[in-house]
Amino acid sequence: MSLFAVSIYWDLPVLLVVVSIVYSATRHDRWDRIFHEAFRWGMQIAGFLALVGVGLYLLSTFL
Amino acid sequence: MSAAETPPRKLDWLAAVLSYLLPGLGQVLQGRIAKGVVFFVSLYTLFFYGMALGAMKNVWMPPQSVVRDLPKMEIGIRRLYFEADGAAKSLAYRPQFLGQFWIGAAAWPAVLHYLADKDPNVVPPPDGLPVIGRYMATPPDEELQRLQRDGNKRWDLGWVYTLIAGVLNLLVIYDALAGPAVKDDEEKEKSDKPPEPGAKPEAKS
């Protein structure tokens, strides 16, 4: 249940979406490419954060 | 110039300045209205969301009355350093503002507070400046400690968001100045594409 408690992690999607869209929009002018790259960056950042989160969870649980 | 090379872009300094003032305004001037609106909405959302996380008290530039009595700050490495004074000392004690500043006019109240409190002989009014009051003024130490202690890390997360919004606006300013990093002009791509085998050549008038 702690995952669903009021946590600063719920504030992360705003950062993730804005960084992905703004960075992609500064690289391209065509909307299909902007959205494609924004999605790609969003997934990569989310994946990286999830990996770090899982690593920290495992460390705090089993170490 | 070979066929593969493209001519250098013309730099649009006016659009860059406008995009500094208000994220996306330079792109709107250039006719890239939707993109300008996306920049404006995205960056102001991130900046003010970050401010809200910090109870609207995480963007400021400490004035002289605050940093005057603080220990000296030396900026540099090895023998190449100088003693920070004036605005440099203020920024050395609050380096976050170096990033937050680039969000543009939204961060100017902090600069106004700094400029209004430069004269050591003038006592700043306790209610702050006209119109903006104490918005973006340096919070008292007790309040800062309370925000950091009771904020569940949100106060710190908030200034990180505002800083990232400011730094992202540097990319937006560059986009207004020189265009997108990848020049994906649709017309050029079409002209560069080799004709498909079997396709009829276009009739010339």
mmCIF file of all heavy atoms in Angstrom, chain A residues 6-15 18-19 21-23 25-31 33-34, chain B residues 32 34-35 38-39 42-43 46 49 53 152 154 157 161 164 168 171-172 175 180-182 184 189:
data_model
loop_
_atom_site.group_PDB
_atom_site.id
_atom_site.type_symbol
_atom_site.label_atom_id
_atom_site.label_comp_id
_atom_site.label_asym_id
_atom_site.label_seq_id
_atom_site.Cartn_x
_atom_site.Cartn_y
_atom_site.Cartn_z
ATOM 1 N N VAL A 6 0.541 8.995 -0.358
ATOM 2 C CA VAL A 6 0.954 10.279 -0.930
ATOM 3 C C VAL A 6 2.474 10.300 -0.989
ATOM 4 O O VAL A 6 3.143 10.272 0.022
ATOM 5 C CB VAL A 6 0.427 11.443 -0.077
ATOM 6 C CG1 VAL A 6 0.892 12.770 -0.658
ATOM 7 C CG2 VAL A 6 -1.079 11.396 -0.015
ATOM 8 N N SER A 7 2.977 10.289 -2.202
ATOM 9 C CA SER A 7 4.415 10.163 -2.377
ATOM 10 C C SER A 7 4.882 11.145 -3.439
ATOM 11 O O SER A 7 4.122 11.517 -4.340
ATOM 12 C CB SER A 7 4.733 8.721 -2.796
ATOM 13 O OG SER A 7 5.959 8.673 -3.469
ATOM 14 N N ILE A 8 6.142 11.544 -3.335
ATOM 15 C CA ILE A 8 6.647 12.487 -4.336
ATOM 16 C C ILE A 8 6.726 11.834 -5.715
ATOM 17 O O ILE A 8 6.814 12.525 -6.713
ATOM 18 C CB ILE A 8 8.025 13.064 -3.948
ATOM 19 C CG1 ILE A 8 9.057 11.964 -3.782
ATOM 20 C CG2 ILE A 8 7.939 13.929 -2.722
ATOM 21 C CD1 ILE A 8 10.485 12.483 -3.695
ATOM 22 N N TYR A 9 6.659 10.516 -5.771
ATOM 23 C CA TYR A 9 6.746 9.844 -7.074
ATOM 24 C C TYR A 9 5.544 10.156 -7.958
ATOM 25 O O TYR A 9 5.616 10.059 -9.172
ATOM 26 C CB TYR A 9 6.906 8.330 -6.891
ATOM 27 C CG TYR A 9 8.190 7.988 -6.188
ATOM 28 C CD1 TYR A 9 8.191 7.503 -4.896
ATOM 29 C CD2 TYR A 9 9.413 8.195 -6.822
ATOM 30 C CE1 TYR A 9 9.380 7.222 -4.248
ATOM 31 C CE2 TYR A 9 10.606 7.913 -6.171
ATOM 32 C CZ TYR A 9 10.577 7.425 -4.886
ATOM 33 O OH TYR A 9 11.756 7.159 -4.250
ATOM 34 N N TRP A 10 4.420 10.542 -7.345
ATOM 35 C CA TRP A 10 3.237 10.895 -8.131
ATOM 36 C C TRP A 10 3.438 12.233 -8.854
ATOM 37 O O TRP A 10 2.649 12.581 -9.729
ATOM 38 C CB TRP A 10 1.988 10.944 -7.251
ATOM 39 C CG TRP A 10 1.612 9.591 -6.757
ATOM 40 C CD1 TRP A 10 1.661 9.151 -5.471
ATOM 41 C CD2 TRP A 10 1.148 8.481 -7.536
ATOM 42 N NE1 TRP A 10 1.274 7.838 -5.398
ATOM 43 C CE2 TRP A 10 0.949 7.395 -6.644
ATOM 44 C CE3 TRP A 10 0.894 8.293 -8.888
ATOM 45 C CZ2 TRP A 10 0.508 6.157 -7.070
ATOM 46 C CZ3 TRP A 10 0.453 7.045 -9.316
ATOM 47 C CH2 TRP A 10 0.262 6.000 -8.407
ATOM 48 N N ASP A 11 4.452 12.987 -8.453
ATOM 49 C CA ASP A 11 4.725 14.259 -9.128
ATOM 50 C C ASP A 11 5.630 14.071 -10.342
ATOM 51 O O ASP A 11 5.827 15.006 -11.110
ATOM 52 C CB ASP A 11 5.402 15.237 -8.155
ATOM 53 C CG ASP A 11 4.504 15.573 -6.988
ATOM 54 O OD1 ASP A 11 3.345 15.901 -7.235
ATOM 55 O OD2 ASP A 11 4.966 15.495 -5.830
ATOM 56 N N LEU A 12 6.185 12.889 -10.510
ATOM 57 C CA LEU A 12 7.151 12.678 -11.591
ATOM 58 C C LEU A 12 6.560 12.711 -13.012
ATOM 59 O O LEU A 12 7.231 13.192 -13.923
ATOM 60 C CB LEU A 12 7.901 11.358 -11.383
ATOM 61 C CG LEU A 12 8.978 11.382 -10.294
ATOM 62 C CD1 LEU A 12 9.607 10.017 -10.145
ATOM 63 C CD2 LEU A 12 10.056 12.414 -10.612
ATOM 64 N N PRO A 13 5.324 12.196 -13.237
ATOM 65 C CA PRO A 13 4.811 12.201 -14.619
ATOM 66 C C PRO A 13 4.802 13.578 -15.272
ATOM 67 O O PRO A 13 5.065 13.698 -16.467
ATOM 68 C CB PRO A 13 3.386 11.646 -14.472
ATOM 69 C CG PRO A 13 3.463 10.765 -13.290
ATOM 70 C CD PRO A 13 4.428 11.430 -12.352
ATOM 71 N N VAL A 14 4.523 14.624 -14.496
ATOM 72 C CA VAL A 14 4.523 15.981 -15.068
ATOM 73 C C VAL A 14 5.903 16.283 -15.652
ATOM 74 O O VAL A 14 6.036 16.740 -16.793
ATOM 75 C CB VAL A 14 4.186 17.024 -13.970
ATOM 76 C CG1 VAL A 14 4.236 18.430 -14.541
ATOM 77 C CG2 VAL A 14 2.835 16.747 -13.376
ATOM 78 N N LEU A 15 6.929 15.996 -14.872
ATOM 79 C CA LEU A 15 8.305 16.256 -15.319
ATOM 80 C C LEU A 15 8.633 15.425 -16.556
ATOM 81 O O LEU A 15 9.191 15.933 -17.536
ATOM 82 C CB LEU A 15 9.272 15.917 -14.182
ATOM 83 C CG LEU A 15 10.752 16.134 -14.459
ATOM 84 C CD1 LEU A 15 11.049 17.615 -14.574
ATOM 85 C CD2 LEU A 15 11.597 15.533 -13.357
ATOM 86 N N VAL A 18 6.687 16.731 -19.734
ATOM 87 C CA VAL A 18 7.163 18.040 -20.212
ATOM 88 C C VAL A 18 8.568 17.929 -20.803
ATOM 89 O O VAL A 18 8.829 18.453 -21.889
ATOM 90 C CB VAL A 18 7.124 19.082 -19.069
ATOM 91 C CG1 VAL A 18 7.852 20.353 -19.472
ATOM 92 C CG2 VAL A 18 5.685 19.409 -18.708
ATOM 93 N N VAL A 19 9.462 17.226 -20.122
ATOM 94 C CA VAL A 19 10.829 17.099 -20.633
ATOM 95 C C VAL A 19 10.812 16.396 -21.993
ATOM 96 O O VAL A 19 11.474 16.837 -22.943
ATOM 97 C CB VAL A 19 11.722 16.334 -19.626
ATOM 98 C CG1 VAL A 19 13.049 15.948 -20.258
ATOM 99 C CG2 VAL A 19 11.987 17.183 -18.400
ATOM 100 N N ILE A 21 8.341 16.115 -24.282
ATOM 101 C CA ILE A 21 7.721 16.903 -25.361
ATOM 102 C C ILE A 21 8.597 18.101 -25.743
ATOM 103 O O ILE A 21 8.855 18.340 -26.927
ATOM 104 C CB ILE A 21 6.310 17.366 -24.950
ATOM 105 C CG1 ILE A 21 5.364 16.170 -24.960
ATOM 106 C CG2 ILE A 21 5.783 18.450 -25.888
ATOM 107 C CD1 ILE A 21 3.945 16.478 -24.620
ATOM 108 N N VAL A 22 9.067 18.845 -24.740
ATOM 109 C CA VAL A 22 9.839 20.058 -25.062
ATOM 110 C C VAL A 22 11.156 19.683 -25.748
ATOM 111 O O VAL A 22 11.523 20.283 -26.762
ATOM 112 C CB VAL A 22 10.094 20.892 -23.782
ATOM 113 C CG1 VAL A 22 11.070 22.038 -24.070
ATOM 114 C CG2 VAL A 22 8.786 21.470 -23.269
ATOM 115 N N TYR A 23 11.823 18.665 -25.227
ATOM 116 C CA TYR A 23 13.098 18.274 -25.862
ATOM 117 C C TYR A 23 12.862 17.831 -27.309
ATOM 118 O O TYR A 23 13.594 18.239 -28.216
ATOM 119 C CB TYR A 23 13.766 17.161 -25.060
ATOM 120 C CG TYR A 23 15.025 16.655 -25.724
ATOM 121 C CD1 TYR A 23 16.173 17.437 -25.750
ATOM 122 C CD2 TYR A 23 15.057 15.418 -26.358
ATOM 123 C CE1 TYR A 23 17.322 16.996 -26.379
ATOM 124 C CE2 TYR A 23 16.200 14.969 -26.996
ATOM 125 C CZ TYR A 23 17.329 15.756 -26.997
ATOM 126 O OH TYR A 23 18.466 15.330 -27.630
ATOM 127 N N ALA A 25 10.358 18.607 -29.280
ATOM 128 C CA ALA A 25 9.899 19.718 -30.117
ATOM 129 C C ALA A 25 11.041 20.665 -30.481
ATOM 130 O O ALA A 25 10.936 21.406 -31.453
ATOM 131 C CB ALA A 25 8.792 20.482 -29.409
ATOM 132 N N THR A 26 12.124 20.662 -29.690
ATOM 133 C CA THR A 26 13.270 21.491 -30.085
ATOM 134 C C THR A 26 14.167 20.763 -31.094
ATOM 135 O O THR A 26 15.085 21.356 -31.630
ATOM 136 C CB THR A 26 14.124 21.905 -28.873
ATOM 137 O OG1 THR A 26 14.582 20.742 -28.210
ATOM 138 C CG2 THR A 26 13.354 22.787 -27.927
ATOM 139 N N ARG A 27 13.885 19.496 -31.326
ATOM 140 C CA ARG A 27 14.692 18.745 -32.296
ATOM 141 C C ARG A 27 14.016 18.638 -33.664
ATOM 142 O O ARG A 27 14.684 18.456 -34.670
ATOM 143 C CB ARG A 27 14.980 17.336 -31.758
ATOM 144 C CG ARG A 27 16.019 17.316 -30.658
ATOM 145 C CD ARG A 27 16.351 15.922 -30.220
ATOM 146 N NE ARG A 27 16.954 15.116 -31.274
ATOM 147 C CZ ARG A 27 18.209 15.222 -31.678
ATOM 148 N NH1 ARG A 27 18.994 16.108 -31.136
ATOM 149 N NH2 ARG A 27 18.665 14.426 -32.628
ATOM 150 N N HIS A 28 12.680 18.723 -33.677
ATOM 151 C CA HIS A 28 11.951 18.548 -34.935
ATOM 152 C C HIS A 28 10.892 19.627 -35.100
ATOM 153 O O HIS A 28 10.466 20.247 -34.121
ATOM 154 C CB HIS A 28 11.270 17.172 -34.968
ATOM 155 C CG HIS A 28 12.225 16.030 -34.921
ATOM 156 N ND1 HIS A 28 12.973 15.636 -36.003
ATOM 157 C CD2 HIS A 28 12.564 15.207 -33.897
ATOM 158 C CE1 HIS A 28 13.729 14.601 -35.660
ATOM 159 N NE2 HIS A 28 13.499 14.328 -34.390
ATOM 160 N N ASP A 29 10.446 19.802 -36.342
ATOM 161 C CA ASP A 29 9.337 20.710 -36.615
ATOM 162 C C ASP A 29 8.075 19.958 -37.022
ATOM 163 O O ASP A 29 6.990 20.525 -37.004
ATOM 164 C CB ASP A 29 9.730 21.683 -37.731
ATOM 165 C CG ASP A 29 9.969 23.086 -37.178
ATOM 166 O OD1 ASP A 29 9.621 23.318 -35.999
ATOM 167 O OD2 ASP A 29 10.513 23.926 -37.895
ATOM 168 N N ARG A 30 8.226 18.720 -37.429
ATOM 169 C CA ARG A 30 7.060 17.939 -37.865
ATOM 170 C C ARG A 30 6.453 17.219 -36.677
ATOM 171 O O ARG A 30 7.161 16.554 -35.911
ATOM 172 C CB ARG A 30 7.490 16.925 -38.934
ATOM 173 C CG ARG A 30 7.676 17.558 -40.310
ATOM 174 C CD ARG A 30 8.241 16.591 -41.285
ATOM 175 N NE ARG A 30 7.559 15.307 -41.287
ATOM 176 C CZ ARG A 30 7.946 14.271 -42.011
ATOM 177 N NH1 ARG A 30 9.002 14.377 -42.791
ATOM 178 N NH2 ARG A 30 7.286 13.142 -41.974
ATOM 179 N N TRP A 31 5.104 17.345 -36.550
ATOM 180 C CA TRP A 31 4.443 16.828 -35.353
ATOM 181 C C TRP A 31 4.547 15.323 -35.216
ATOM 182 O O TRP A 31 4.646 14.810 -34.102
ATOM 183 C CB TRP A 31 2.975 17.275 -35.337
ATOM 184 C CG TRP A 31 2.893 18.715 -34.975
ATOM 185 C CD1 TRP A 31 2.679 19.757 -35.823
ATOM 186 C CD2 TRP A 31 3.105 19.293 -33.688
ATOM 187 N NE1 TRP A 31 2.734 20.944 -35.134
ATOM 188 C CE2 TRP A 31 2.986 20.697 -33.834
ATOM 189 C CE3 TRP A 31 3.376 18.777 -32.430
ATOM 190 C CZ2 TRP A 31 3.126 21.574 -32.767
ATOM 191 C CZ3 TRP A 31 3.522 19.649 -31.365
ATOM 192 C CH2 TRP A 31 3.397 21.025 -31.531
ATOM 193 N N ARG A 33 7.010 13.454 -36.059
ATOM 194 C CA ARG A 33 8.343 13.148 -35.514
ATOM 195 C C ARG A 33 8.473 13.605 -34.064
ATOM 196 O O ARG A 33 9.121 12.956 -33.249
ATOM 197 C CB ARG A 33 9.408 13.816 -36.366
ATOM 198 C CG ARG A 33 9.465 13.186 -37.732
ATOM 199 C CD ARG A 33 10.694 13.573 -38.460
ATOM 200 N NE ARG A 33 10.705 12.894 -39.745
ATOM 201 C CZ ARG A 33 11.646 13.028 -40.648
ATOM 202 N NH1 ARG A 33 12.669 13.801 -40.408
ATOM 203 N NH2 ARG A 33 11.582 12.379 -41.779
ATOM 204 N N ILE A 34 7.856 14.764 -33.759
ATOM 205 C CA ILE A 34 7.910 15.267 -32.373
ATOM 206 C C ILE A 34 7.265 14.248 -31.438
ATOM 207 O O ILE A 34 7.846 13.854 -30.423
ATOM 208 C CB ILE A 34 7.195 16.635 -32.257
ATOM 209 C CG1 ILE A 34 8.018 17.717 -32.950
ATOM 210 C CG2 ILE A 34 6.967 17.004 -30.797
ATOM 211 C CD1 ILE A 34 7.312 19.064 -33.059
ATOM 212 N N ARG B 32 5.242 29.536 -36.194
ATOM 213 C CA ARG B 32 5.108 28.169 -35.668
ATOM 214 C C ARG B 32 4.264 28.253 -34.387
ATOM 215 O O ARG B 32 4.749 28.029 -33.277
ATOM 216 C CB ARG B 32 6.502 27.586 -35.398
ATOM 217 C CG ARG B 32 7.337 27.488 -36.669
ATOM 218 C CD ARG B 32 8.675 26.833 -36.413
ATOM 219 N NE ARG B 32 9.555 27.673 -35.626
ATOM 220 C CZ ARG B 32 10.644 27.224 -34.993
ATOM 221 N NH1 ARG B 32 10.962 25.953 -35.061
ATOM 222 N NH2 ARG B 32 11.400 28.040 -34.305
ATOM 223 N N ALA B 34 1.497 26.627 -33.116
ATOM 224 C CA ALA B 34 1.174 25.468 -32.268
ATOM 225 C C ALA B 34 2.373 25.076 -31.417
ATOM 226 O O ALA B 34 2.252 24.783 -30.225
ATOM 227 C CB ALA B 34 0.730 24.297 -33.131
ATOM 228 N N LYS B 35 3.552 25.117 -32.032
ATOM 229 C CA LYS B 35 4.757 24.746 -31.298
ATOM 230 C C LYS B 35 5.039 25.752 -30.170
ATOM 231 O O LYS B 35 5.400 25.372 -29.061
ATOM 232 C CB LYS B 35 5.934 24.708 -32.280
ATOM 233 C CG LYS B 35 7.098 23.909 -31.793
ATOM 234 C CD LYS B 35 8.063 23.686 -32.934
ATOM 235 C CE LYS B 35 9.384 23.247 -32.415
ATOM 236 N NZ LYS B 35 10.353 22.970 -33.473
ATOM 237 N N VAL B 38 2.720 25.033 -27.350
ATOM 238 C CA VAL B 38 3.157 23.831 -26.619
ATOM 239 C C VAL B 38 4.303 24.180 -25.669
ATOM 240 O O VAL B 38 4.307 23.774 -24.503
ATOM 241 C CB VAL B 38 3.586 22.716 -27.605
ATOM 242 C CG1 VAL B 38 4.362 21.619 -26.887
ATOM 243 C CG2 VAL B 38 2.357 22.123 -28.275
ATOM 244 N N PHE B 39 5.258 24.955 -26.149
ATOM 245 C CA PHE B 39 6.378 25.357 -25.284
ATOM 246 C C PHE B 39 5.884 26.170 -24.091
ATOM 247 O O PHE B 39 6.298 25.938 -22.959
ATOM 248 C CB PHE B 39 7.397 26.184 -26.074
ATOM 249 C CG PHE B 39 8.269 25.375 -26.987
ATOM 250 C CD1 PHE B 39 8.647 25.868 -28.225
ATOM 251 C CD2 PHE B 39 8.715 24.128 -26.613
ATOM 252 C CE1 PHE B 39 9.455 25.130 -29.077
ATOM 253 C CE2 PHE B 39 9.521 23.380 -27.449
ATOM 254 C CZ PHE B 39 9.895 23.883 -28.681
ATOM 255 N N SER B 42 3.766 23.930 -21.662
ATOM 256 C CA SER B 42 4.593 22.917 -21.005
ATOM 257 C C SER B 42 5.516 23.543 -19.962
ATOM 258 O O SER B 42 5.573 23.086 -18.807
ATOM 259 C CB SER B 42 5.458 22.175 -22.030
ATOM 260 O OG SER B 42 4.662 21.601 -23.012
ATOM 261 N N LEU B 43 6.238 24.577 -20.359
ATOM 262 C CA LEU B 43 7.239 25.126 -19.439
ATOM 263 C C LEU B 43 6.618 25.898 -18.285
ATOM 264 O O LEU B 43 7.094 25.800 -17.151
ATOM 265 C CB LEU B 43 8.229 26.006 -20.213
ATOM 266 C CG LEU B 43 9.131 25.235 -21.168
ATOM 267 C CD1 LEU B 43 10.187 26.132 -21.773
ATOM 268 C CD2 LEU B 43 9.816 24.070 -20.460
ATOM 269 N N LEU B 46 5.345 23.307 -15.834
ATOM 270 C CA LEU B 46 6.420 22.729 -15.019
ATOM 271 C C LEU B 46 6.931 23.741 -13.994
ATOM 272 O O LEU B 46 7.134 23.402 -12.820
ATOM 273 C CB LEU B 46 7.563 22.269 -15.929
ATOM 274 C CG LEU B 46 8.677 21.485 -15.250
ATOM 275 C CD1 LEU B 46 8.144 20.190 -14.658
ATOM 276 C CD2 LEU B 46 9.800 21.165 -16.234
ATOM 277 N N TYR B 49 4.128 24.457 -11.387
ATOM 278 C CA TYR B 49 3.909 23.222 -10.609
ATOM 279 C C TYR B 49 5.029 23.082 -9.579
ATOM 280 O O TYR B 49 4.787 22.756 -8.409
ATOM 281 C CB TYR B 49 3.903 22.030 -11.564
ATOM 282 C CG TYR B 49 3.470 20.724 -10.938
ATOM 283 C CD1 TYR B 49 2.137 20.385 -10.841
ATOM 284 C CD2 TYR B 49 4.411 19.821 -10.447
ATOM 285 C CE1 TYR B 49 1.735 19.187 -10.263
ATOM 286 C CE2 TYR B 49 4.022 18.621 -9.874
ATOM 287 C CZ TYR B 49 2.689 18.308 -9.786
ATOM 288 O OH TYR B 49 2.307 17.130 -9.210
ATOM 289 N N LEU B 53 4.745 23.137 -5.509
ATOM 290 C CA LEU B 53 5.279 22.084 -4.634
ATOM 291 C C LEU B 53 6.057 22.699 -3.470
ATOM 292 O O LEU B 53 6.110 22.135 -2.381
ATOM 293 C CB LEU B 53 6.206 21.154 -5.424
ATOM 294 C CG LEU B 53 5.570 20.158 -6.381
ATOM 295 C CD1 LEU B 53 6.650 19.386 -7.131
ATOM 296 C CD2 LEU B 53 4.666 19.190 -5.645
ATOM 297 N N ASN B 152 7.890 16.988 3.249
ATOM 298 C CA ASN B 152 7.969 15.648 2.670
ATOM 299 C C ASN B 152 8.774 15.661 1.359
ATOM 300 O O ASN B 152 8.366 15.081 0.360
ATOM 301 C CB ASN B 152 6.552 15.092 2.428
ATOM 302 C CG ASN B 152 6.580 13.642 2.001
ATOM 303 O OD1 ASN B 152 7.542 12.929 2.301
ATOM 304 N ND2 ASN B 152 5.545 13.202 1.304
ATOM 305 N N ARG B 154 8.969 17.716 -0.838
ATOM 306 C CA ARG B 154 8.357 18.407 -1.975
ATOM 307 C C ARG B 154 8.962 19.784 -2.215
ATOM 308 O O ARG B 154 9.015 20.254 -3.338
ATOM 309 C CB ARG B 154 6.842 18.524 -1.768
ATOM 310 C CG ARG B 154 6.125 17.244 -2.128
ATOM 311 C CD ARG B 154 4.649 17.495 -2.396
ATOM 312 N NE ARG B 154 4.096 16.397 -3.155
ATOM 313 C CZ ARG B 154 3.806 15.210 -2.631
ATOM 314 N NH1 ARG B 154 4.049 14.980 -1.361
ATOM 315 N NH2 ARG B 154 3.304 14.261 -3.395
ATOM 316 N N LEU B 157 11.979 19.095 -4.254
ATOM 317 C CA LEU B 157 11.572 18.638 -5.586
ATOM 318 C C LEU B 157 11.059 19.832 -6.410
ATOM 319 O O LEU B 157 11.324 19.931 -7.604
ATOM 320 C CB LEU B 157 10.472 17.583 -5.463
ATOM 321 C CG LEU B 157 10.102 16.854 -6.753
ATOM 322 C CD1 LEU B 157 11.236 15.954 -7.189
ATOM 323 C CD2 LEU B 157 8.828 16.040 -6.564
ATOM 324 N N TYR B 161 12.170 21.229 -10.182
ATOM 325 C CA TYR B 161 11.264 21.397 -11.321
ATOM 326 C C TYR B 161 11.417 22.792 -11.939
ATOM 327 O O TYR B 161 11.450 22.943 -13.159
ATOM 328 C CB TYR B 161 9.808 21.189 -10.879
ATOM 329 C CG TYR B 161 9.387 19.740 -10.810
ATOM 330 C CD1 TYR B 161 10.303 18.742 -10.537
ATOM 331 C CD2 TYR B 161 8.062 19.379 -11.008
ATOM 332 C CE1 TYR B 161 9.911 17.419 -10.461
ATOM 333 C CE2 TYR B 161 7.665 18.046 -10.938
ATOM 334 C CZ TYR B 161 8.601 17.075 -10.659
ATOM 335 O OH TYR B 161 8.212 15.773 -10.596
ATOM 336 N N ILE B 164 14.647 22.943 -13.866
ATOM 337 C CA ILE B 164 14.594 22.204 -15.141
ATOM 338 C C ILE B 164 13.775 22.998 -16.163
ATOM 339 O O ILE B 164 14.135 23.060 -17.343
ATOM 340 C CB ILE B 164 14.007 20.793 -14.922
ATOM 341 C CG1 ILE B 164 14.991 19.946 -14.108
ATOM 342 C CG2 ILE B 164 13.725 20.101 -16.252
ATOM 343 C CD1 ILE B 164 14.466 18.589 -13.711
ATOM 344 N N LEU B 168 15.276 24.041 -19.684
ATOM 345 C CA LEU B 168 14.603 23.621 -20.923
ATOM 346 C C LEU B 168 14.303 24.826 -21.813
ATOM 347 O O LEU B 168 14.320 24.726 -23.038
ATOM 348 C CB LEU B 168 13.301 22.886 -20.602
ATOM 349 C CG LEU B 168 13.405 21.404 -20.233
ATOM 350 C CD1 LEU B 168 12.027 20.873 -19.865
ATOM 351 C CD2 LEU B 168 13.982 20.582 -21.367
ATOM 352 N N LEU B 171 16.792 25.531 -24.431
ATOM 353 C CA LEU B 171 16.614 24.798 -25.691
ATOM 354 C C LEU B 171 15.572 25.485 -26.567
ATOM 355 O O LEU B 171 15.717 25.544 -27.786
ATOM 356 C CB LEU B 171 16.175 23.351 -25.409
ATOM 357 C CG LEU B 171 17.160 22.433 -24.691
ATOM 358 C CD1 LEU B 171 16.548 21.057 -24.497
ATOM 359 C CD2 LEU B 171 18.447 22.322 -25.480
ATOM 360 N N VAL B 172 14.512 25.990 -25.918
ATOM 361 C CA VAL B 172 13.458 26.677 -26.668
ATOM 362 C C VAL B 172 14.008 27.962 -27.300
ATOM 363 O O VAL B 172 13.698 28.282 -28.453
ATOM 364 C CB VAL B 172 12.258 26.968 -25.738
ATOM 365 C CG1 VAL B 172 11.212 27.827 -26.434
ATOM 366 C CG2 VAL B 172 11.627 25.671 -25.268
ATOM 367 N N ASP B 175 15.946 26.996 -30.247
ATOM 368 C CA ASP B 175 15.036 26.619 -31.341
ATOM 369 C C ASP B 175 14.515 27.867 -32.053
ATOM 370 O O ASP B 175 14.388 27.890 -33.273
ATOM 371 C CB ASP B 175 13.870 25.798 -30.774
ATOM 372 C CG ASP B 175 12.854 25.421 -31.838
ATOM 373 O OD1 ASP B 175 13.072 24.417 -32.523
ATOM 374 O OD2 ASP B 175 11.844 26.147 -31.981
ATOM 375 N N PRO B 180 14.916 24.028 -35.350
ATOM 376 C CA PRO B 180 15.068 22.754 -34.639
ATOM 377 C C PRO B 180 16.432 22.119 -34.897
ATOM 378 O O PRO B 180 17.053 22.383 -35.929
ATOM 379 C CB PRO B 180 13.942 21.895 -35.212
ATOM 380 C CG PRO B 180 13.627 22.492 -36.523
ATOM 381 C CD PRO B 180 13.902 23.950 -36.396
ATOM 382 N N ALA B 181 16.870 21.309 -33.954
ATOM 383 C CA ALA B 181 18.205 20.707 -34.055
ATOM 384 C C ALA B 181 18.323 19.817 -35.285
ATOM 385 O O ALA B 181 19.369 19.768 -35.930
ATOM 386 C CB ALA B 181 18.510 19.912 -32.792
ATOM 387 N N VAL B 182 17.234 19.102 -35.629
ATOM 388 C CA VAL B 182 17.243 18.250 -36.819
ATOM 389 C C VAL B 182 16.421 18.945 -37.892
ATOM 390 O O VAL B 182 15.249 19.260 -37.678
ATOM 391 C CB VAL B 182 16.641 16.856 -36.511
ATOM 392 C CG1 VAL B 182 16.650 16.000 -37.757
ATOM 393 C CG2 VAL B 182 17.410 16.189 -35.394
ATOM 394 N N ASP B 184 14.333 18.711 -40.535
ATOM 395 C CA ASP B 184 13.556 17.710 -41.273
ATOM 396 C C ASP B 184 12.498 18.392 -42.141
ATOM 397 O O ASP B 184 11.299 18.267 -41.931
ATOM 398 C CB ASP B 184 12.927 16.688 -40.335
ATOM 399 C CG ASP B 184 12.247 17.345 -39.156
ATOM 400 O OD1 ASP B 184 12.066 18.571 -39.178
ATOM 401 O OD2 ASP B 184 11.900 16.649 -38.226
ATOM 402 N N GLU B 189 13.106 16.670 -48.241
ATOM 403 C CA GLU B 189 13.183 15.210 -48.223
ATOM 404 C C GLU B 189 12.577 14.614 -49.487
ATOM 405 O O GLU B 189 13.096 13.672 -50.068
ATOM 406 C CB GLU B 189 12.451 14.659 -46.996
ATOM 407 C CG GLU B 189 13.271 14.773 -45.737
ATOM 408 C CD GLU B 189 12.560 14.187 -44.544
ATOM 409 O OE1 GLU B 189 11.400 13.746 -44.693
ATOM 410 O OE2 GLU B 189 13.158 14.175 -43.489
#
